[in-house]
Amino acid sequence: AVIADERGAAVLPALGGALDGVPVIREAAGPALERPRPAGPLDVAYVLFTSGSTGRPKGVPVLHRNVDAYLRFVHDRYGFHTGDVFSQTFDLTFDLSVFDLFAAWGSGGTVVSVPPTAYAALERFVAEHGITVWFSAPSLISQLGRRPQGLRGAFDSLRWSLFCGEPLLARDAAAWQAAAPRSTVENLYGPTELTISCSVHRWDPERTPGRCVNDIVPIGHLHPGLRHLLHDGELCVTGDQMFPGYLDPADDTGRFLDHDGTRWYRTGDLARELPDGELVHLGRRDHQVQVHGVRVELAEVESALRRVGGVRDAVAVPAHGELTAFLLGERRPPGDLARELRTMLPRAVIPRRYAYLDAFPLNANRKVDRKELSARAAAER
């Protein structure tokens, strides 16, 4: 809940401290308002908490100026209108749900919540509700692709297909394009602190595959009004969509970079810039692990695992000083897997344990639940 005073400014006073340009507010007092108070650019539009996947959840106040910059870009790029029907696949505690609601409200469109039961016959659900704008985490694609009927031609009503929240694999993007041949497929990227998403790449079956790293679709160009720099390989961003700081000022420590007179948000993501300025995602800084003295990026291990015969998808997690690989696909002896991996990876970082699953566990937002897989690996010796 956000408490506002008679001036319309908002903050969570119980957590204390003032945000840049936003006053500390006490409890609202006085008679009920006769009309809504206008909101200023520096007022808080909403507050979300990070998932806590890399530590304690942090409160992220997003300002009206941040949301305004984001929505101006979105509506200009996609041309949403009153006839559009938006899927809502994300939990309301996840910032990507804000896109579904605000984009629909801003265009006069309709939002349809997608219940868990709908995924068993998703093509029927999408057709019955006339959904035209699909937005979800990429994990859904491989999950649907394992069905006997496959995906091809399943979603003819879609005109936009947007994915965000985790890396989009090239083969999954191609599979979804075949499933929704009339839609434009885009890969979005952005942490909560940069307001929903901050960069975008449009899938092109001829051009995109050659630009992928570890089979991951590029995260593209930043939105107008944003700038980036790469600091020791870490993507740092500043501009109109950057939040002012966490609710608890102590959480700001280590999350910002002061460079060339400007404050930059440190995303924690590793990236590379292509010659035309597009960005490719290389993994999370906290996904860099050291195994037997060798530093390795988990995305590289997972990419190698996906190239092993019979493996459809893979997730690697560290446990007990070794790597454990969770696999989908044809079950093969661990020795066979290791022999193939030795042609692609240093011997020290080849996973020592392999576990086959029928499906990866997903969290509430249908993203691969790495915390659950890490807990499973840690529980085994």
Side-chain angles (χ1 to χ4, degrees):
V2 175
I3 299 175
D5 76 343
E6 62 274 10
R7 291 167 294 177
V11 75
L12 294 180
L15 294 178
L19 303 174
D20 292 348
V22 182
V24 175
I25 302 305
R26 302 305 176 208
E27 233 175 75
L33 296 176
E34 294 182 359
R35 63 184 63 85
R37 293 286 185 183
L42 295 180
D43 291 338
V44 176
Y46 58 85
V47 177
L48 285 169
F49 281 77
T50 62
S51 65
S53 59
T54 58
R56 181 175 60 86
K58 297 182 285 290
V60 181
V62 179
L63 307 184
H64 280 273
R65 71 179 182 189
N66 304 143
V67 182
D68 179 69
Y70 176 77
L71 291 176
R72 287 179 185 275
F73 169 79
V74 163
H75 287 293
D76 181 64
R77 184 176 183 87
Y78 300 116
F80 296 138
H81 52 69
T82 56
D84 276 321
V85 180
F86 297 77
S87 68
Q88 185 181 21
T89 67
F90 299 107
D91 190 275
L92 290 177
T93 60
F94 191 29
D95 69 318
L96 296 181
S97 67
V98 178
F99 170 92
D100 305 327
L101 299 178
F102 284 20
W105 293 336
S107 62
T110 302
V111 180
V112 175
S113 180
V114 184
T117 54
Y119 292 97
L122 188 60
E123 57 267 60
R124 185 171 64 190
F125 183 90
V126 168
E128 286 178 352
H129 291 277
I131 293 175
T132 60
V133 182
W134 180 265
F135 190 29
S136 75
S139 294
L140 169 77
I141 304 174
S142 59
Q143 182 184 18
L144 293 178
R146 294 193 296 272
R147 302 175 309 169
Q149 66 268 40
L151 277 174
R152 183 168 292 276
F155 306 116
D156 282 342
S157 68
L158 298 182
R159 71 186 195 95
W160 291 105
S161 297
L162 311 177
F163 296 94
C164 192
E166 58 189 349
L168 173 64
L169 299 180
R171 66 186 187 191
D172 286 343
W176 189 270
Q177 185 70 86
R182 300 180 183 179
S183 80
T184 300
V185 177
E186 293 202 335
N187 184 37
L188 282 57
Y189 160 83
T192 304
E193 293 85 349
L194 294 173
T195 312
I196 308 174
S197 67
C198 64
S199 71
V200 60
H201 172 87
R202 183 164 295 179
W203 169 259
D204 182 327
E206 300 298 327
R207 176 174 173 268
T208 301
R211 303 172 72 81
C212 295
V213 176
N214 294 327
D215 195 40
I216 296 173
V217 175
I219 58 177
H221 294 281
L222 292 180
H223 297 179
L226 293 175
R227 293 181 292 142
H228 79 274
L229 65 83
L230 297 177
H231 178 69
D232 292 333
E234 180 182 8
L235 178 62
C236 302
V237 179
T238 193
D240 297 340
Q241 291 181 215
M242 187 181 79
F243 82 134
Y246 294 103
L247 280 179
D248 184 348
D251 289 331
D252 289 353
T253 303
R255 300 309 307 152
F256 291 92
L257 172 71
D258 292 318
H259 176 77
D260 198 22
T262 301
R263 194 186 198 205
W264 306 75
Y265 175 69
R266 299 180 59 179
T267 66
D269 289 302
L270 301 173
R272 178 191 305 163
E273 187 172 348
L274 297 176
D276 64 354
E278 260 209 324
L279 295 167
V280 291
H281 189 263
L282 303 179
R284 290 282 305 167
R285 181 173 288 280
D286 49 31
H287 284 177
Q288 283 188 326
V289 299
Q290 198 162 32
V291 182
H292 299 298
V294 178
R295 181 166 292 279
V296 64
E297 168 59 53
L298 292 178
E300 296 177 7
V301 177
E302 292 165 356
S303 176
L305 284 163
R306 285 192 291 267
R307 296 198 299 273
V308 170
V311 175
R312 291 201 311 269
D313 208 349
V315 174
V317 298
H320 309 303
E322 306 280 3
L323 292 182
T324 295
F326 291 93
L327 307 175
L328 304 181
E330 174 191 341
R331 296 173 185 264
R332 299 178 56 196
D336 291 352
L337 300 173
R339 274 192 293 274
E340 285 196 47
L341 288 171
R342 279 198 288 270
T343 66
M344 297 177 271
L345 295 171
R347 184 182 293 269
V349 302
I350 293 174
R352 294 296 186 265
R353 289 182 291 274
Y354 301 86
Y356 281 92
L357 303 175
D358 294 328
F360 293 136
L362 304 179
N363 61 22
N365 294 306
R366 308 196 71 79
K367 295 167 57 175
V368 172
D369 194 336
R370 286 181 174 268
K371 290 176 68 175
E372 168 64 21
L373 292 176
S374 294
R376 294 187 193 184
E380 296 183 5
R381 287 237 178 227

